[in-house]
């Protein structure tokens, strides 16, 4: 496929009288923020403003710009230290990630409030243009894998997040005591070949406490189909991951983004046409199923 995304670099912001809803997006373990350009470009093209934080040592490769000199400081990926249990290590990390989502929201609240926020990026884009173009009454959190469970935890930490979209969430790092504390609806969009019965049971525990929480599965997909990896040539994908999904990646992206948009319209009260995809939230449609299918599909 093409190695380009259909966006323009450093263009002026298109004004929005009603304000753009803000979506905080949390990347997966061992991935990085630019590996979700397909889904985030789709969200942006529909009038939402995606923002990707994190510098918690969970990315395969990433950097941030220091405030002092504006230089790039690289953040190495951190594995579980020898002798330490993975749950305790990842649990501490997921709390940091959720707090970073909250911190990102606070930053944009400052910008929307007209407060001066330093921009350490080299291109010098004027952040103040966002002041009258964001609607921070309509904020959601979204993520993939480790980012999916981060999104769930962020609902506990920040009341301003009205809902969460969790793409193939890795539920393992979240402690059981927090499940009753999740106050807002969650949309779980799972792939067919990643989830375990234990993980699904945790999702169902959340859905039993909130009637607006939904769990759906995109058939014929694998975990990486919700990242830009899905658009690698088939042979290269197979060499890296061993096996890829049978569903066309463009169709998988369409289902994922349409379901997310329908859910966001419902819970952020957006005045858009995303309600046309609401049947996906019930697992109704081609290549989609409610909750988790008991057997593997033939897709």
């Amino acid at each position: 496929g093409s190695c380009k995304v259909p966006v323009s670099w450093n263009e002026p912001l298109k004004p929005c009288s009603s304000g753009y809803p803000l979506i905080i997006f949390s990347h997966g373990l061992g991935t990085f923020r630019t590996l979700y350009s397909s889904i985030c470009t789709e969200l942006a093209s529909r009038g939402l403003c995606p923002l990707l934080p994190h510098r918690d040592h969970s990315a395969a490769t990433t950097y941030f710009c220091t405030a002092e000199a504006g230089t790039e400081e690289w953040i190495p990926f951190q594995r579980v230290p020898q002798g330490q249990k993975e749950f305790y290590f990842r649990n501490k990390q997921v709390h940091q990630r959720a707090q970073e989502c909250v911190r990102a929201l606070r930053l944009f609240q400052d910008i929307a409030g007209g407060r001066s926020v330093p921009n350490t990026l080299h291109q010098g884009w004027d952040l103040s243009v966002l002041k009258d173009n964001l609607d921070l009454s309509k904020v959601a959190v979204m993520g993939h894998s480790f980012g999916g469970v981060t999104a769930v935890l962020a609902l506990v930490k920040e009341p301003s997040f009205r809902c969460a979209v969790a793409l193939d969430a890795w539920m393992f790092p979240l402690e059981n005591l927090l499940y009753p504390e999740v106050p807002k609806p969650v949309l779980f969009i799972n792939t067919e070949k990643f989830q375990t019965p234990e993980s699904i049971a945790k999702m169902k525990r959340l859905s039993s406490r909130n009637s607006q929480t939904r769990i759906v599965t995109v058939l014929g997909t694998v975990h990486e189909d919700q990242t830009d990896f899905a658009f690698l040539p088939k042979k290269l994908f197979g060499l890296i991951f061993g096996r890829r999904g049978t569903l066309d990646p463009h169709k998988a992206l369409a289902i994922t983004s349409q379901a997310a948009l329908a859910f966001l319209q419902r819970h952020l009260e957006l005045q858009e046409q995303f309600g046309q995809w609401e049947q996906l939230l019930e697992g109704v449609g081609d290549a989609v199923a409610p909750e988790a299918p008991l057997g593997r599909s033939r897709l």
Side-chain angles (χ1 to χ4, degrees):
S2 173
C3 62
K4 297 180 180 180
V5 292
V7 297
S8 297
W9 177 254
N10 213 20
E11 287 289 322
L13 181 72
K14 181 180 179 181
C16 179
S17 58
S18 60
Y20 293 110
L22 183 66
I23 310 297
I24 309 292
F25 193 104
S26 176
H27 67 69
L29 181 66
T31 59
F32 39 91
R33 59 179 177 263
T34 57
L35 200 55
Y36 297 89
S37 63
S38 53
I39 186 72
C40 288
T41 297
E42 181 64 19
L43 293 175
S45 75
R46 300 285 183 173
L48 296 103
C49 179
L51 170 70
L52 288 82
H54 292 328
R55 54 185 192 184
D56 64 319
H57 298 273
S58 65
T61 174
T62 193
Y63 67 88
F64 70 98
C65 290
T66 59
E68 296 78 17
T71 55
E72 297 172 2
E73 184 170 318
W74 289 86
I75 307 170
F77 177 75
Q78 194 170 24
R79 300 184 183 278
V80 179
Q82 189 172 3
Q84 187 170 342
K85 291 187 175 181
E86 184 174 20
F87 171 81
Y88 296 107
F89 182 78
R90 298 302 182 198
N91 177 256
K92 181 180 178 181
Q93 206 168 24
V94 77
H95 277 270
Q96 178 183 340
R97 295 169 124 252
Q99 198 57 50
E100 286 177 344
C101 291
V102 176
R103 184 182 176 190
L105 174 60
R106 295 282 181 270
L107 179 69
F108 274 75
Q109 287 173 333
D110 285 344
I111 293 170
R115 289 177 283 277
S116 178
V117 174
N119 184 1
T120 58
L121 295 179
H122 301 302
Q123 62 263 37
W125 198 72
D126 183 10
L127 292 171
S128 67
V129 301
L130 294 170
K131 178 179 178 296
D132 299 315
N133 288 286
L134 292 174
D135 185 351
L136 296 187
S137 69
K138 299 176 179 178
V139 184
V141 61
M142 186 172 178
H144 173 248
S145 192
F146 200 14
V149 76
T150 300
V152 173
L153 180 57
L155 292 181
V156 178
K157 293 185 177 290
E158 177 50 55
S160 296
F161 292 132
R162 293 175 61 173
C163 63
V165 178
L167 307 180
D168 226 10
W170 183 44
M171 300 299 290
F172 169 76
L174 192 62
E175 62 265 43
N176 289 330
L177 288 175
L178 279 175
Y179 284 91
E181 303 298 321
V182 179
K184 306 287 179 61
V186 181
L187 171 62
F188 292 100
I189 308 178
N190 297 328
T191 64
E192 191 179 0
K193 303 296 176 69
F194 177 73
Q195 292 297 334
T196 63
E198 294 79 12
S199 185
I200 295 296
K202 293 179 178 181
M203 295 177 189
K204 289 183 176 180
R205 184 177 176 187
L206 287 179
S207 67
S208 69
R209 294 180 175 274
N210 191 311
S211 62
Q212 294 299 311
T213 289
R214 294 289 183 270
I215 307 168
V216 298
T217 298
V218 184
L219 303 176
T221 56
V222 297
H223 195 53
E224 292 77 18
D225 281 330
Q226 293 177 334
T227 73
D228 292 349
F229 280 133
F231 299 98
L232 288 173
K234 191 170 184 178
K235 287 185 178 180
L236 181 57
F237 187 100
L239 283 173
I240 297 173
F241 299 109
R243 186 179 180 185
R244 72 175 303 160
T246 55
L247 188 66
D248 176 77
H250 295 88
K251 186 170 184 178
L253 172 64
I255 293 171
T256 299
S257 59
Q258 288 168 5
L261 288 166
F263 189 77
L264 292 171
Q265 170 158 307
R266 178 184 293 184
H267 296 290
L268 298 185
E269 299 175 358
L270 306 179
Q271 302 301 312
E272 302 291 345
Q273 304 298 317
F274 307 150
Q276 62 183 303
W277 302 310
E278 283 219 340
Q279 75 278 3
L280 293 173
L281 304 182
E282 309 305 325
V284 177
D286 187 28
V288 66
E291 297 192 350
L294 295 177
R296 299 300 188 190
S297 75
R298 296 182 180 180
L299 283 180

